[in-house]
Amino acid sequence: MFDAAKHLAYSPPTHVLSMKDIGLEDSPISPVAASEPFPLLSYEGVLEHRRELFSPTVINNCLHSTLPGSAMLRGMAQRYTPFIQSFWNSSELLKIVSDIAGVDLVPAMNYEICHTNIQLGSEGLDGVRATPIEPPMVTPVTNVKGKEGSIDEDAGYDNAIVKWHKDSHPFVCVVMLSDARNMEGGETVLMGGDGKTMKVRAPQMGSAVVLQGRYISHIALPVTNMPERITIVTSFRPRDPTLVDETTNANVRDESHLSELFYQWATYRLDVLAKRASILADTLREKYAENVKRTDNEGKPGMCRVETVCFEEMKAWAEDQIKYLQQTVYEMRPLQQE
């Protein structure tokens, strides 16, 4: 299982971009846009991730291929990968990601832990099953051309391995599991508020980038000189249930086992709603107690004659929760209703 002393090699990022740095307004939850790459996993941590991810059980149950030249592994953490599940839920990891993001975060759902992006080589999907535990070492003379070919910036990044998009969840932590010392390409490109783009260099093996991807359009560029490119993406949302939650399933519905995804989605959303209701109820109880103490000569509850519940505030709160529930149901609509 996860051992922080053995599997972490964390060093803080040297720089963190703000939303304003790229010409965007702060999101409702954080002013942070993206970090520079920073060391996160030790080599042992990289190997443990690869060992669990490329086991036959995970590949047989969690492999999806929806775009040419790439494949992904999704939804494995809770059932098939105990090390990965414990790593991404550990207090040590959550503190690292939260400190960089500027907001206390938790994994969005177990299903969104360690989503794995694989740039396919010449062997296609069959090559995924042959992925070694130890990452192939890349030298400067390595010249392995992927299916996507070279990067054509003049064509608007048409060769991007992942097209322009915003993530489904507020924050992501992206970690490189391949040897990237001499990698060409592989950057993440951010779209600024003025329409100009900014590249965030790809992390080295074991290093990570934290990105507020729900509020920033971005693409991932292909690699042209590596025998493999494997990155893992864990999605996060705020721990505080009162913060804005604009999570969606738009990017993941067609690459998931929906029975499991929708169960986790529905229960997380209902848990958030229950916590919001509990917080409001506690607030009203405190206000009521103050009103009783202030206005009742005997300080006894049961016949308080001053207003505790503001109708307009209660109405606005209820309308917000109704919208939240409606969005919850909308995100579970059948795929044919896309």
Side-chain angles (χ1 to χ4, degrees), residues 273-295:
L273 188 62
K275 290 174 183 176
R276 289 177 176 177
S278 179
I279 289 170
L280 179 58
D282 288 344
T283 300
L284 292 177
R285 291 187 185 99
E286 291 175 4
K287 184 178 179 181
Y288 180 82
E290 292 172 359
N291 285 341
V292 169
K293 182 179 180 180
R294 179 172 55 85
T295 63

mmCIF file of all heavy atoms in Angstrom, residues 273-295:
data_model
loop_
_atom_site.group_PDB
_atom_site.id
_atom_site.type_symbol
_atom_site.label_atom_id
_atom_site.label_comp_id
_atom_site.label_asym_id
_atom_site.label_seq_id
_atom_site.Cartn_x
_atom_site.Cartn_y
_atom_site.Cartn_z
ATOM 1 N N LEU A 273 -25.573 17.770 -1.469
ATOM 2 C CA LEU A 273 -26.853 18.408 -1.159
ATOM 3 C C LEU A 273 -27.212 18.228 0.317
ATOM 4 O O LEU A 273 -27.675 19.169 0.981
ATOM 5 C CB LEU A 273 -27.941 17.812 -2.050
ATOM 6 C CG LEU A 273 -29.318 18.480 -1.994
ATOM 7 C CD1 LEU A 273 -29.235 19.923 -2.452
ATOM 8 C CD2 LEU A 273 -30.308 17.705 -2.856
ATOM 9 N N ALA A 274 -26.991 17.025 0.836
ATOM 10 C CA ALA A 274 -27.297 16.770 2.250
ATOM 11 C C ALA A 274 -26.435 17.637 3.164
ATOM 12 O O ALA A 274 -26.921 18.172 4.177
ATOM 13 C CB ALA A 274 -27.086 15.293 2.561
ATOM 14 N N LYS A 275 -25.159 17.793 2.821
ATOM 15 C CA LYS A 275 -24.273 18.634 3.633
ATOM 16 C C LYS A 275 -24.698 20.099 3.564
ATOM 17 O O LYS A 275 -24.650 20.815 4.571
ATOM 18 C CB LYS A 275 -22.829 18.467 3.163
ATOM 19 C CG LYS A 275 -22.239 17.100 3.483
ATOM 20 C CD LYS A 275 -20.858 16.927 2.877
ATOM 21 C CE LYS A 275 -20.306 15.537 3.148
ATOM 22 N NZ LYS A 275 -18.995 15.320 2.489
ATOM 23 N N ARG A 276 -25.104 20.544 2.385
ATOM 24 C CA ARG A 276 -25.589 21.922 2.263
ATOM 25 C C ARG A 276 -26.823 22.137 3.142
ATOM 26 O O ARG A 276 -26.943 23.162 3.826
ATOM 27 C CB ARG A 276 -25.925 22.232 0.805
ATOM 28 C CG ARG A 276 -24.719 22.356 -0.106
ATOM 29 C CD ARG A 276 -25.147 22.594 -1.546
ATOM 30 N NE ARG A 276 -24.002 22.800 -2.422
ATOM 31 C CZ ARG A 276 -24.097 22.976 -3.734
ATOM 32 N NH1 ARG A 276 -25.292 22.968 -4.322
ATOM 33 N NH2 ARG A 276 -23.011 23.163 -4.458
ATOM 34 N N ALA A 277 -27.749 21.180 3.117
ATOM 35 C CA ALA A 277 -28.959 21.295 3.930
ATOM 36 C C ALA A 277 -28.615 21.274 5.418
ATOM 37 O O ALA A 277 -29.188 22.033 6.216
ATOM 38 C CB ALA A 277 -29.924 20.166 3.583
ATOM 39 N N SER A 278 -27.670 20.416 5.798
ATOM 40 C CA SER A 278 -27.274 20.330 7.199
ATOM 41 C C SER A 278 -26.630 21.633 7.670
ATOM 42 O O SER A 278 -26.893 22.104 8.787
ATOM 43 C CB SER A 278 -26.306 19.162 7.390
ATOM 44 O OG SER A 278 -25.884 19.063 8.729
ATOM 45 N N ILE A 279 -25.786 22.219 6.817
ATOM 46 C CA ILE A 279 -25.140 23.488 7.169
ATOM 47 C C ILE A 279 -26.183 24.585 7.352
ATOM 48 O O ILE A 279 -26.129 25.368 8.317
ATOM 49 C CB ILE A 279 -24.114 23.876 6.090
ATOM 50 C CG1 ILE A 279 -22.906 22.935 6.154
ATOM 51 C CG2 ILE A 279 -23.668 25.334 6.252
ATOM 52 C CD1 ILE A 279 -21.950 23.084 4.984
ATOM 53 N N LEU A 280 -27.151 24.650 6.447
ATOM 54 C CA LEU A 280 -28.195 25.666 6.565
ATOM 55 C C LEU A 280 -29.036 25.433 7.818
ATOM 56 O O LEU A 280 -29.370 26.389 8.540
ATOM 57 C CB LEU A 280 -29.082 25.663 5.320
ATOM 58 C CG LEU A 280 -30.238 26.674 5.329
ATOM 59 C CD1 LEU A 280 -29.716 28.099 5.507
ATOM 60 C CD2 LEU A 280 -31.066 26.560 4.055
ATOM 61 N N ALA A 281 -29.382 24.186 8.089
ATOM 62 C CA ALA A 281 -30.175 23.887 9.284
ATOM 63 C C ALA A 281 -29.426 24.300 10.552
ATOM 64 O O ALA A 281 -30.013 24.887 11.476
ATOM 65 C CB ALA A 281 -30.521 22.404 9.326
ATOM 66 N N ASP A 282 -28.127 24.005 10.612
ATOM 67 C CA ASP A 282 -27.333 24.398 11.778
ATOM 68 C C ASP A 282 -27.273 25.917 11.910
ATOM 69 O O ASP A 282 -27.331 26.461 13.027
ATOM 70 C CB ASP A 282 -25.918 23.831 11.665
ATOM 71 C CG ASP A 282 -25.873 22.327 11.887
ATOM 72 O OD1 ASP A 282 -26.857 21.780 12.426
ATOM 73 O OD2 ASP A 282 -24.858 21.706 11.514
ATOM 74 N N THR A 283 -27.151 26.605 10.778
ATOM 75 C CA THR A 283 -27.125 28.069 10.799
ATOM 76 C C THR A 283 -28.433 28.629 11.352
ATOM 77 O O THR A 283 -28.436 29.569 12.166
ATOM 78 C CB THR A 283 -26.875 28.612 9.379
ATOM 79 O OG1 THR A 283 -25.616 28.133 8.904
ATOM 80 C CG2 THR A 283 -26.872 30.135 9.369
ATOM 81 N N LEU A 284 -29.555 28.052 10.932
ATOM 82 C CA LEU A 284 -30.857 28.515 11.421
ATOM 83 C C LEU A 284 -31.021 28.218 12.910
ATOM 84 O O LEU A 284 -31.591 29.034 13.655
ATOM 85 C CB LEU A 284 -31.975 27.856 10.617
ATOM 86 C CG LEU A 284 -32.081 28.279 9.143
ATOM 87 C CD1 LEU A 284 -33.183 27.491 8.438
ATOM 88 C CD2 LEU A 284 -32.340 29.779 9.018
ATOM 89 N N ARG A 285 -30.538 27.069 13.360
ATOM 90 C CA ARG A 285 -30.628 26.746 14.788
ATOM 91 C C ARG A 285 -29.834 27.750 15.624
ATOM 92 O O ARG A 285 -30.283 28.188 16.694
ATOM 93 C CB ARG A 285 -30.112 25.326 15.035
ATOM 94 C CG ARG A 285 -31.013 24.230 14.476
ATOM 95 C CD ARG A 285 -30.539 22.849 14.912
ATOM 96 N NE ARG A 285 -31.329 21.811 14.271
ATOM 97 C CZ ARG A 285 -30.954 21.133 13.193
ATOM 98 N NH1 ARG A 285 -29.765 21.383 12.640
ATOM 99 N NH2 ARG A 285 -31.731 20.210 12.673
ATOM 100 N N GLU A 286 -28.642 28.099 15.149
ATOM 101 C CA GLU A 286 -27.829 29.077 15.874
ATOM 102 C C GLU A 286 -28.510 30.445 15.898
ATOM 103 O O GLU A 286 -28.525 31.129 16.937
ATOM 104 C CB GLU A 286 -26.450 29.182 15.219
ATOM 105 C CG GLU A 286 -25.590 27.937 15.387
ATOM 106 C CD GLU A 286 -24.280 28.038 14.626
ATOM 107 O OE1 GLU A 286 -24.017 29.110 14.036
ATOM 108 O OE2 GLU A 286 -23.525 27.046 14.614
ATOM 109 N N LYS A 287 -29.064 30.831 14.766
ATOM 110 C CA LYS A 287 -29.752 32.122 14.700
ATOM 111 C C LYS A 287 -30.976 32.128 15.607
ATOM 112 O O LYS A 287 -31.268 33.122 16.291
ATOM 113 C CB LYS A 287 -30.147 32.423 13.257
ATOM 114 C CG LYS A 287 -30.783 33.798 13.065
ATOM 115 C CD LYS A 287 -31.096 34.054 11.594
ATOM 116 C CE LYS A 287 -31.746 35.427 11.412
ATOM 117 N NZ LYS A 287 -32.088 35.671 9.977
ATOM 118 N N TYR A 288 -31.694 31.019 15.622
ATOM 119 C CA TYR A 288 -32.884 30.905 16.478
ATOM 120 C C TYR A 288 -32.500 31.032 17.951
ATOM 121 O O TYR A 288 -33.154 31.744 18.727
ATOM 122 C CB TYR A 288 -33.567 29.568 16.218
ATOM 123 C CG TYR A 288 -34.813 29.333 17.041
ATOM 124 C CD1 TYR A 288 -36.035 29.868 16.654
ATOM 125 C CD2 TYR A 288 -34.757 28.564 18.207
ATOM 126 C CE1 TYR A 288 -37.182 29.647 17.409
ATOM 127 C CE2 TYR A 288 -35.893 28.338 18.970
ATOM 128 C CZ TYR A 288 -37.101 28.885 18.563
ATOM 129 O OH TYR A 288 -38.237 28.670 19.314
ATOM 130 N N ALA A 289 -31.430 30.339 18.344
ATOM 131 C CA ALA A 289 -30.985 30.401 19.739
ATOM 132 C C ALA A 289 -30.600 31.826 20.123
ATOM 133 O O ALA A 289 -30.900 32.288 21.239
ATOM 134 C CB ALA A 289 -29.811 29.452 19.949
ATOM 135 N N GLU A 290 -29.947 32.527 19.213
ATOM 136 C CA GLU A 290 -29.590 33.926 19.479
ATOM 137 C C GLU A 290 -30.835 34.793 19.612
ATOM 138 O O GLU A 290 -30.904 35.677 20.484
ATOM 139 C CB GLU A 290 -28.693 34.450 18.355
ATOM 140 C CG GLU A 290 -27.317 33.801 18.310
ATOM 141 C CD GLU A 290 -26.539 34.194 17.068
ATOM 142 O OE1 GLU A 290 -27.101 34.956 16.239
ATOM 143 O OE2 GLU A 290 -25.392 33.742 16.914
ATOM 144 N N ASN A 291 -31.825 34.555 18.753
ATOM 145 C CA ASN A 291 -33.065 35.331 18.824
ATOM 146 C C ASN A 291 -33.797 35.091 20.138
ATOM 147 O O ASN A 291 -34.336 36.024 20.751
ATOM 148 C CB ASN A 291 -33.972 34.977 17.643
ATOM 149 C CG ASN A 291 -33.490 35.581 16.337
ATOM 150 O OD1 ASN A 291 -32.699 36.525 16.337
ATOM 151 N ND2 ASN A 291 -33.961 35.034 15.218
ATOM 152 N N VAL A 292 -33.836 33.832 20.555
ATOM 153 C CA VAL A 292 -34.499 33.505 21.824
ATOM 154 C C VAL A 292 -33.786 34.193 22.984
ATOM 155 O O VAL A 292 -34.420 34.813 23.852
ATOM 156 C CB VAL A 292 -34.537 31.977 22.036
ATOM 157 C CG1 VAL A 292 -34.977 31.639 23.465
ATOM 158 C CG2 VAL A 292 -35.469 31.322 21.023
ATOM 159 N N LYS A 293 -32.481 34.095 23.002
ATOM 160 C CA LYS A 293 -31.702 34.700 24.086
ATOM 161 C C LYS A 293 -31.893 36.212 24.123
ATOM 162 O O LYS A 293 -31.964 36.823 25.198
ATOM 163 C CB LYS A 293 -30.225 34.351 23.904
ATOM 164 C CG LYS A 293 -29.322 34.895 24.991
ATOM 165 C CD LYS A 293 -27.876 34.469 24.750
ATOM 166 C CE LYS A 293 -26.963 35.021 25.834
ATOM 167 N NZ LYS A 293 -25.544 34.618 25.613
ATOM 168 N N ARG A 294 -32.007 36.815 22.939
ATOM 169 C CA ARG A 294 -32.091 38.271 22.843
ATOM 170 C C ARG A 294 -33.486 38.810 23.155
ATOM 171 O O ARG A 294 -33.625 39.924 23.676
ATOM 172 C CB ARG A 294 -31.668 38.697 21.436
ATOM 173 C CG ARG A 294 -31.728 40.191 21.156
ATOM 174 C CD ARG A 294 -31.100 40.509 19.806
ATOM 175 N NE ARG A 294 -31.697 39.734 18.734
ATOM 176 C CZ ARG A 294 -32.804 40.088 18.078
ATOM 177 N NH1 ARG A 294 -33.453 41.202 18.419
ATOM 178 N NH2 ARG A 294 -33.275 39.339 17.099
ATOM 179 N N THR A 295 -34.530 38.025 22.845
ATOM 180 C CA THR A 295 -35.886 38.587 22.909
ATOM 181 C C THR A 295 -36.789 37.954 23.962
ATOM 182 O O THR A 295 -37.826 38.528 24.303
ATOM 183 C CB THR A 295 -36.578 38.437 21.539
ATOM 184 O OG1 THR A 295 -36.725 37.041 21.220
ATOM 185 C CG2 THR A 295 -35.773 39.126 20.452
#
